[in-house]
Amino acid sequence: MEAESQMREVKYAADISSIREAQARIKPFVHQTPVLSSESLNALAGRQLFFKCECFQKGGAFKFRGACNAVFSLDDDQAVKGVVTHSSGNHAAALSLAAKLRGIPAYIVIPKNAPKCKVENVIRYGGQVIWSEPTMQSRESTAAKVLQETGAVLLHPYNDRRIISGQGTISLELLEQQVPQLDTIIVPISGGGLISGVALAAKSINPAIRVLAAEPEGANDAAQSKAAGRIITLPETNTVADGLRAFLGDLTWPVVRDLVDGIITVEDKEIIHAMKLCYEILKVVVEPSGAIGLAAVLSDSFKKNSAWKDCSNIGIILSGGNVDLGILWDAYRK
């Protein structure tokens, strides 16, 4: 009941009401993604695993939920000038698609080192690509210039109430319609928009549920932040999981601090192995960021941690499936 009382006492960026409103708002546009299971993977993990396949979401990732909620939350006067964001990946494509559905422009600032398949998705969905250097400073300054020139609305990839609320709809589907017996959910963590929404909704529905984050060793700022009790940023990140290189925001950090029960860090080789298992056993292609939840549950640090010995029915968010096939094959050969 600690989580429940915490949510009553602390005002977070989103709550169960905003998440239910998001669910109603985006229902005509999003897929209710399937949940898959595998006895082979259950045997490997020693637990019952339930995979929420957001790789089958429109745009190929969970990000469409938040982007769709944010775009359709705008009033007409705001929306007419379009939306702008800076993103190297799935948020860029998701926002482009949501804007296309609403019939408004999307201006997408993308760093020059973004994965080719994710840039192609933006173009496919009608987003207007503006290139930046691959630094946060360049991304933000370029986006600010676009804002000034267009008068569009800036929609941050994760540090936004509307985005967090949209991502939280995953928990509503999982716990109310698909697998109500879950006692644990494992979620990739980067900027924290996904895990914030998932945790706020899940702990409102079932205060006893555990929400665990999965993070790459080479981008372990969230684990360091949790240990330090304040936001830690890293001078650089080094991980195959290109979608997990962002840092926590001032809206996502309080949720991670208070409601995320633990953070499991894994090495890139464990992520690549989990990608292989998803492909070979589940018959699902996931990007590295999407496979990290399975990597976490199979890791020694999880299996040997007595704190998680009672985690028996585990939901794993396969957050996305946008991966360059050339990179996928290269990773498999390693």
Side-chain angles (χ1 to χ4, degrees), residues 175-188:
L175 296 176
E176 294 184 340
Q177 301 169 28
Q178 293 174 317
V179 199
Q181 72 270 27
L182 290 181
D183 54 52
T184 307
I185 304 177
I186 299 182
V187 189

Side-chain angles (χ1 to χ4, degrees), residues 280-325:
E280 293 170 357
I281 297 176
L282 281 183
K283 311 304 179 191
V284 172
V285 174
V286 294
E287 60 192 270
S289 308
I292 196 170
L294 176 58
V297 85
L298 296 178
S299 68
D300 285 343
S301 59
F302 178 76
K303 287 182 169 182
K304 295 178 179 178
N305 189 332
S306 60
W308 315 130
K309 68 181 189 309
D310 295 330
C311 299
S312 54
N313 292 299
I314 302 176
I316 295 175
I317 312 296
L318 299 181
S319 55
N322 294 317
V323 60
D324 282 321
L325 284 178

Side-chain angles (χ1 to χ4, degrees), residues 108-307:
I108 312 295
V109 176
I110 299 181
K112 292 175 181 176
N113 65 344
K116 183 182 176 185
C117 69
K118 295 183 179 181
V119 177
E120 289 172 347
N121 281 344
V122 171
I123 296 167
R124 184 180 299 120
Y125 298 135
Q128 299 182 39
V129 175
I130 300 103
W131 296 104
S132 75
E133 296 303 317
T135 65
M136 189 56 69
Q137 183 180 5
S138 176
R139 285 166 56 158
E140 290 177 344
S141 62
T142 306
K145 184 181 177 187
V146 174
L147 272 177
Q148 192 173 20
E149 291 173 352
T150 62
V153 178
L154 178 66
L155 292 178
H156 194 276
Y158 53 85
N159 205 45
D160 184 294
R161 169 184 171 85
R162 298 159 296 188
I163 298 289
I164 294 168
S165 298
Q167 319 309 22
T169 60
I170 291 172
S171 284
L172 300 185
E173 289 179 11
L174 254 181
L175 296 176
E176 294 184 340
Q177 301 169 28
Q178 293 174 317
V179 199
Q181 72 270 27
L182 290 181
D183 54 52
T184 307
I185 304 177
I186 299 182
V187 189
I189 191 167
S190 182
L194 173 59
I195 200 166
S196 293
V198 166
L200 287 164
K203 290 190 182 257
S204 292
I205 295 166
N206 175 9
I209 200 167
R210 299 177 185 91
V211 177
L212 304 177
E215 185 173 48
E217 288 277 6
N220 66 347
D221 58 286
Q224 290 190 37
S225 300
K226 192 87 165 152
R230 61 184 175 85
I231 296 177
I232 300 287
T233 59
L234 306 175
E236 62 179 7
T237 58
N238 181 20
T239 176
V240 69
D242 64 271
L244 302 181
R245 295 172 183 160
F247 304 130
L248 297 166
D250 63 333
L251 299 184
T252 58
W253 162 241
V255 184
V256 173
R257 179 192 64 206
D258 298 345
L259 301 182
V260 173
D261 297 288
I263 298 179
I264 305 154
T265 58
V266 295
E267 296 179 4
D268 276 6
K269 64 182 180 182
E270 295 175 281
I271 295 172
I272 291 166
H273 179 59
M275 289 172 68
K276 288 183 180 180
L277 292 175
C278 287
Y279 185 72
E280 293 170 357
I281 297 176
L282 281 183
K283 311 304 179 191
V284 172
V285 174
V286 294
E287 60 192 270
S289 308
I292 196 170
L294 176 58
V297 85
L298 296 178
S299 68
D300 285 343
S301 59
F302 178 76
K303 287 182 169 182
K304 295 178 179 178
N305 189 332
S306 60

Side-chain angles (χ1 to χ4, degrees), residues 7-26:
M7 285 190 289
R8 282 200 300 266
E9 293 167 12
V10 180
K11 179 70 174 171
Y12 297 112
D15 54 33
I16 192 65
S17 297
S18 69
I19 293 167
R20 292 200 187 282
E21 288 167 8
Q23 185 180 45
R25 184 177 293 116
I26 68 178

